Amino acid sequence: IEIKELISHYQIVNPQQSPSKKKVLVNLFFDRKKINNFFFLKNLTYSDLSNVEVVILPIKIKEDKIFVFNDNYFFKNWNRDSEETTNKNEIIEYLLPIENLDIIQKINLLKDNLENLEISDILSDYNNNNLVFLVINQEENFFKIFLKIQTSNKKIIKNFKVDKSETQNDLEAVIKFSKNEIEDVIKSQNIIDVRTPTFLNIKLNIEKKDDLFKLQNIFEKIDIVDNFYVREFNNEYAKVKIKFYGKLDNFYEKLKQMGAKIKIVNDSWSISIS
């Protein structure tokens, strides 16, 4: 299949609006149903990721000393590559916590057993679904890396060893390696398999006349929604059946991001828009 057959429309950006006035930028928009059918025929899965924010605390250990904010290369330089490059198409945007004594105290209390430190505890001030605690132990010939990630209501722990090199900046290499591992974990928790859709019945509480219209607009803007139809409708509520791809938790978060208020009782979903 040719790529052009999957394109629904395109937009030519004014050359004066592009980073280089000598080039013309073209935005391509793909037909969602055709793309899903293409993945289905090719037996492919993909990750549903776009502009993901991750709060990360990288700490350094060297000669049994812990460096949280001060004298911590990884904390100071974690986003340096992102700031220096003009490429804005990175999947993950990393947010670093503001320096404070409370975090330092909590880490020092568990300095001999950092693996048991709860991410949500040390980063409790940050309302984010993606939290990362990264411990980099700098040995003589290698780095020991401990990675704890909280994403999609799951906690994932990984341990790595990165050998030092004579041909590159070891500290930068550790940052790049760690970013790749974090991205792989985040992707693995957002896999879309078009061969196994999910069906969900919800009840929309109608408070204003255009609530059903607003809900339909929300569904049309959520990429993982394949289709939906109204099963029952009256002045008080509407019962809607939805077919979507991916995990239920991800669908829940996307609805919340679109402003829907969701209540789940005994696995029954009710939604309010107004």
Side-chain angles (χ1 to χ4, degrees):
I1 186 170
E2 296 185 9
I3 296 298
K4 66 180 182 180
E5 295 179 16
L6 304 176
I7 298 173
S8 61
H9 60 285
Y10 63 90
Q11 176 189 36
I12 298 178
V13 180
N14 189 314
Q16 294 184 354
Q17 296 177 347
S18 65
S20 173
K21 294 182 180 180
K22 297 181 181 179
K23 298 180 180 179
V24 176
L25 298 181
V26 179
N27 294 328
L28 298 178
F29 300 86
F30 292 88
D31 185 288
R32 185 169 61 192
K33 290 188 178 298
K34 288 183 179 180
I35 285 287
N36 285 339
N37 186 58
F38 173 76
F39 287 135
F40 181 85
L41 294 174
K42 297 295 183 179
N43 198 26
L44 297 174
T45 61
Y46 65 96
S47 295
D48 176 44
L49 291 179
S50 177
N51 301 323
V52 176
E53 288 188 349
V54 171
V55 179
I56 182 169
L57 177 59
I59 71 170
K60 181 180 78 171
I61 298 178
K62 186 176 183 180
E63 297 176 352
D64 294 327
K65 293 181 180 179
I66 297 177
F67 302 90
V68 182
F69 300 115
N70 295 328
D71 299 319
N72 183 353
Y73 177 91
F74 306 105
F75 182 83
K76 299 296 183 183
N77 294 277
W78 188 266
N79 282 327
R80 190 180 69 178
D81 289 343
S82 300
E83 293 169 356
E84 292 178 351
T85 182
T86 57
N87 181 17
K88 301 298 182 181
N89 296 321
E90 294 184 357
I91 294 176
I92 296 178
E93 177 184 358
Y94 289 99
L95 307 176
L96 294 157
I98 298 173
E99 300 181 25
N100 69 70
L101 291 175
D102 186 45
I103 290 178
I104 296 175
Q105 290 172 351
K106 289 177 179 177
I107 289 175
N108 284 330
L109 283 173
L110 280 173
K111 62 182 179 180
D112 296 325
N113 199 10
L114 290 174
E115 291 82 358
N116 290 334
L117 197 149
E118 288 293 334
I119 315 176
S120 56
D121 185 24
I122 58 173
L123 299 176
S124 58
D125 292 338
Y126 298 87
N127 185 20
N128 193 294
N129 295 317
N130 302 300
L131 303 175
V132 175
F133 180 54
L134 179 65
V135 181
I136 302 161
N137 198 327
Q138 191 170 345
E139 303 285 351
E140 183 177 353
N141 298 315
F142 59 89
F143 296 90
K144 287 197 303 184
I145 300 174
F146 171 77
L147 181 63
K148 180 180 280 190
I149 302 176
Q150 183 173 305
T151 181
S152 300
N153 296 320
K154 288 187 177 181
K155 293 179 183 178
I156 297 158
I157 295 175
K158 289 194 171 186
N159 290 279
F160 306 97
K161 187 175 83 168
V162 177
D163 293 329
K164 291 188 177 181
S165 170
E166 297 178 357
T167 61
Q168 61 182 349
N169 184 317
D170 292 321
L171 302 180
E172 287 184 6
V174 168
I175 290 179
K176 290 179 180 179
F177 175 86
S178 300
K179 283 185 174 181
N180 288 336
E181 293 298 328
I182 293 168
E183 185 175 314
D184 286 345
V185 170
I186 300 292
K187 284 180 177 179
S188 71
Q189 298 303 309
N190 292 272
I191 292 295
I192 301 295
D193 187 346
V194 296
R195 299 165 300 174
T196 56
T198 301
F199 295 89
L200 177 68
N201 294 308
I202 68 166
K203 177 182 177 183
L204 170 67
N205 299 314
I206 296 179
E207 300 172 10
K208 294 183 180 180
K209 293 181 179 179
D210 61 346
D211 279 354
L212 181 57
F213 177 73
K214 289 180 181 177
L215 183 64
Q216 290 173 335
N217 282 339
I218 288 175
F219 289 156
E220 289 171 358
K221 292 177 181 178
I222 298 178
D223 289 340
I224 62 173
V225 173
D226 182 69
N227 60 60
F228 57 90
Y229 67 92
V230 179
R231 298 171 55 239
E232 184 179 342
F233 176 72
N234 58 43
N235 292 332
E236 296 181 355
Y237 62 84
K239 292 185 178 180
V240 184
K241 186 168 186 175
I242 311 146
K243 176 185 176 184
F244 65 93
Y245 301 108
K247 298 181 179 180
L248 197 60
D249 289 343
N250 292 348
F251 181 62
Y252 176 89
E253 291 300 327
K254 288 179 181 291
L255 283 175
K256 281 180 57 179
Q257 291 170 10
M258 299 297 291
K261 299 175 182 177
I262 309 164
K263 184 181 290 186
I264 304 175
V265 179
N266 295 328
D267 295 328
S268 296
W269 288 45
S270 63
I271 294 181
S272 298
I273 302 297
S274 303

